[in-house]
């Protein structure tokens, strides 16, 4: 079933790409996927939430030279606050499963290891009334002093007619410690017009690949807000265990957390997420945490 559905997802996107684009659509890399998941979230004092979700991306890379027609669910701008993104425990009302985006993206053919790689995209969010958007992203990767450390910058500026403007910058410095361990320090800054609050987050994480089917991530995270009167809103520790249950198709996550939120006087609160995800795409991925 997985092979048939994964092949159908790939063939459908390539057929659409060939119709609008060029015959090379059957040879180029295609990033289309279908992902089905179910998760159970529990936060001490808040109870349990259940969420079934369907996410997809239809990628048409040859539709135009340097233009990519993209159809996707859950745009980044709908992923909630930094606190919710950082923990991987988005509240159900922050996940807009009812809408998708349809747009064209213009991508510079440049290597982010040598120069800034920029993309400009525009389209509509498929809802009534239609919600037009414009997005600009820019990425860069530096090797620091010919050593093991790398610094990556990922920046996004966007406008949605319904939600207004938003901006995010992410700086990620890290290095491998061994063939199975990787250390990262991540800084996030985000502003959304609908919230009108500057958010910032600092994360230190250690990724450990246990074997070819299991991985662990240990994280210490601090979240704050406001530029005029800065304050920390949450500190928490997180462990994420991810297991490939079946041949790169079915994955399980167990994510325990210990929070120290400001609104409870920094008293500890436990949280737990359990998630199952099934991926359908022709080329299997082993990137456990992305």
């Amino acid at each position: 079933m997985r092979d048939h559905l994964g092949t159908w997802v790939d063939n459908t996107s390539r057929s659409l790409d060939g119709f609008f684009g060029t015959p090379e659509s059957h040879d180029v890399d295609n990033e289309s996927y279908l992902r089905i998941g179910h998760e159970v979230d529990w936060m001490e004092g808040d109870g349990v939430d259940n969420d079934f979700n369907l996410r997809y991306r239809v990628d048409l890379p040859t539709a135009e030279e340097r233009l990519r027609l993209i159809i996707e669910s859950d745009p980044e701008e709908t992923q909630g606050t930094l606190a919710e993104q950082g923990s991987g425990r988005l509240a159900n009302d922050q996940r807009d499963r009812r809408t998708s985006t349809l747009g064209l993206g213009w991508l510079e053919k440049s290597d982010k290891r040598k120069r800034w790689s920029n993309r400009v995209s525009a389209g509509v969010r498929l809802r009534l009334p239609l919600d037009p958007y414009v997005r600009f992203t820019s990425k860069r990767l530096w090797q620091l002093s010919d050593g093991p450390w790398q610094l990556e910058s990922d920046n996004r500026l966007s406008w949605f007619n319904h939600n207004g403007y938003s901006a995010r910058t992410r700086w990620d410095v890290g290095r491998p410690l061994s063939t199975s361990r990787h250390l990262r320090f991540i800084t996030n800054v985000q502003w959304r017009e609908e919230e009108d609050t500057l958010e910032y987050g600092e994360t230190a994480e250690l990724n450990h690949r246990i074997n070819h089917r299991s991985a662990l991530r240990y994280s210490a995270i601090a979240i704050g807000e406001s530029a005029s009167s800065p304050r920390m809103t949450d500190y928490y520790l997180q462990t994420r265990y991810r297991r490939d249950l079946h041949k790169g198709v079915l994955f399980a996550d167990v994510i325990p957390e210990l929070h120290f939120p400001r609104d409870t006087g920094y008293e500890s609160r436990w949280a737990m997420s359990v998630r199952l995800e099934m991926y359908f795409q022709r080329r299997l991925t082993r990137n456990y945490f992305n």
Side-chain angles (χ1 to χ4, degrees), residues 164-177:
Y165 292 94
S166 68
R168 186 216 64 202
T169 182
R170 176 186 176 97
W171 295 82
D172 184 343
V173 59
R175 57 160 295 173
L177 301 179

Side-chain angles (χ1 to χ4, degrees), residues 188-206:
N188 280 294
V189 180
Q190 176 175 280
W191 175 83
R192 298 188 300 162
E193 185 177 6
E194 61 180 346
E195 298 285 340
D196 197 23
T197 298
L198 186 71
E199 304 171 90
Y200 41 88
E202 295 287 344
T203 302
E205 66 179 41
L206 176 65

Side-chain angles (χ1 to χ4, degrees), residues 55-90:
R55 296 184 180 182
Y56 54 86
R57 177 186 175 95
V58 181
D59 187 24
L60 309 180
T62 72
E64 291 285 348
E65 184 179 3
R66 290 198 176 189
L67 279 178
R68 306 193 78 168
L69 179 61
I70 299 173
I71 306 171
E72 62 182 345
S73 62
D74 284 348
E76 287 182 300
E77 291 81 358
T78 67
Q79 295 299 304
T81 66
L82 284 183
E84 293 160 340
Q85 294 174 34
S87 67
R89 300 177 60 258
L90 291 176

Side-chain angles (χ1 to χ4, degrees), residues 41-46 81-90 219-223 233-239 255-273:
D41 296 327
W42 169 80
M43 170 71 80
E44 186 178 357
D46 291 341
T81 66
L82 284 183
E84 293 160 340
Q85 294 174 34
S87 67
R89 300 177 60 258
L90 291 176
S219 303
I221 303 167
I223 302 294
T233 58
D234 194 9
Y235 301 91
Y236 61 98
L237 303 175
Q238 179 191 89
T239 300
I255 312 173
E257 298 174 345
L258 180 60
H259 286 254
F260 301 89
R262 178 187 178 91
D263 58 10
T264 63
Y266 299 110
E267 293 184 3
S268 61
R269 295 178 66 187
W270 286 99
M272 173 73 76
S273 295

Side-chain angles (χ1 to χ4, degrees), residues 77-253:
E77 291 81 358
T78 67
Q79 295 299 304
T81 66
L82 284 183
E84 293 160 340
Q85 294 174 34
S87 67
R89 300 177 60 258
L90 291 176
N92 290 335
D93 59 357
Q94 292 287 346
R95 287 182 168 140
D96 195 342
R97 306 296 185 192
R98 301 165 298 173
T99 62
S100 304
T101 58
L102 170 65
L104 284 173
W106 181 82
L107 177 65
E108 285 187 351
K109 293 183 178 179
S110 57
D111 187 344
K112 68 178 181 179
R113 292 170 295 184
K114 298 179 180 179
R115 60 182 63 89
W116 288 94
S117 176
N118 302 315
R119 169 177 282 185
V120 178
S121 60
V124 293
R125 196 171 170 192
L126 303 178
R127 58 187 298 171
L128 291 177
L130 293 177
D131 189 12
Y133 75 89
V134 179
R135 180 189 293 141
F136 171 77
T137 60
S138 184
K139 300 180 180 181
R140 187 71 163 88
L141 178 65
W142 295 273
Q143 191 76 34
L144 302 181
S145 303
D146 297 323
W149 290 94
Q150 286 186 326
L151 174 63
E152 184 170 11
S153 177
D154 187 343
N155 309 280
R156 185 197 73 230
L157 177 64
S158 58
W159 170 82
F160 279 73
N161 184 57
H162 180 72
N163 300 109
Y165 292 94
S166 68
R168 186 216 64 202
T169 182
R170 176 186 176 97
W171 295 82
D172 184 343
V173 59
R175 57 160 295 173
L177 301 179
S178 66
T179 56
S180 61
R181 291 178 173 84
H182 195 278
L183 179 66
R184 300 170 66 191
F185 299 95
I186 304 167
T187 298
N188 280 294
V189 180
Q190 176 175 280
W191 175 83
R192 298 188 300 162
E193 185 177 6
E194 61 180 346
E195 298 285 340
D196 197 23
T197 298
L198 186 71
E199 304 171 90
Y200 41 88
E202 295 287 344
T203 302
E205 66 179 41
L206 176 65
N207 295 291
H208 177 206
R209 186 183 293 273
I210 302 172
N211 52 46
H212 71 286
R213 297 184 63 182
S214 302
L216 273 169
R217 170 179 289 171
Y218 308 95
S219 303
I221 303 167
I223 302 294
E225 63 180 18
S226 179
S228 58
S229 180
R231 60 181 185 179
M232 305 308 296
T233 58
D234 194 9
Y235 301 91
Y236 61 98
L237 303 175
Q238 179 191 89
T239 300
R240 179 176 176 182
Y241 174 72
R242 187 162 177 84
R243 173 78 174 176
D244 180 355
L245 297 179
H246 184 69
K247 298 182 179 180
V249 177
L250 181 63
F251 289 87
D253 291 283

